[in-house]
Amino acid sequence: MSGRFIEVPYRMLPADTLDTLLEGFVTREGYDTTDEGEGMPAWVRELKGQLERGELLIAHDLQTETTEVMTLAQWHAFGRQLADDEEEG
């Protein structure tokens, strides 16, 4: 992938920043946060576990200055799309 994107080690982020990114991921992916359980806090804990296991990553786009949480599948698909766009452009 081009030098436009960098992976951000989640441990380097302040706790509140990481929580905000993970909450955004939960919302964007359509997780059910209205259940009778703990809702969003439970999802954030689950996603932190996935970060620890390497199932999720945090990517920063240097061009747009945005940061997103992605699954590995999303990251690989995004990389393929980006490569296709660069070949066409």
Side-chain angles (χ1 to χ4, degrees):
M1 202 168 302
S2 74
R4 175 178 162 183
F5 298 91
I6 57 171
E7 184 176 347
V8 178
Y10 73 93
R11 288 189 170 111
M12 293 182 68
L13 296 172
D16 58 335
T17 301
L18 179 59
D19 287 352
T20 299
L21 284 170
L22 293 174
E23 288 171 4
F25 181 80
V26 166
T27 302
R28 188 174 62 251
E29 294 298 311
Y31 288 75
D32 181 7
T33 59
T34 61
D35 63 9
E36 296 295 320
E38 296 180 53
M40 185 65 78
W43 282 119
V44 169
R45 278 194 307 279
E46 169 63 27
L47 295 175
K48 285 180 181 177
Q50 290 180 29
L51 282 167
E52 290 174 5
R53 293 187 299 272
E55 298 168 3
L56 294 177
L57 60 85
I58 299 173
H60 181 73
D61 183 335
L62 296 169
Q63 183 175 336
T64 64
E65 297 184 2
T66 57
T67 304
E68 297 291 339
V69 178
M70 296 183 183
T71 65
L72 294 180
Q74 289 170 328
W75 177 249
H76 294 300
F78 182 68
R80 284 190 299 273
Q81 178 64 44
L82 184 64
D84 289 346
D85 290 349
E86 287 176 349
E87 286 178 12
E88 292 173 8

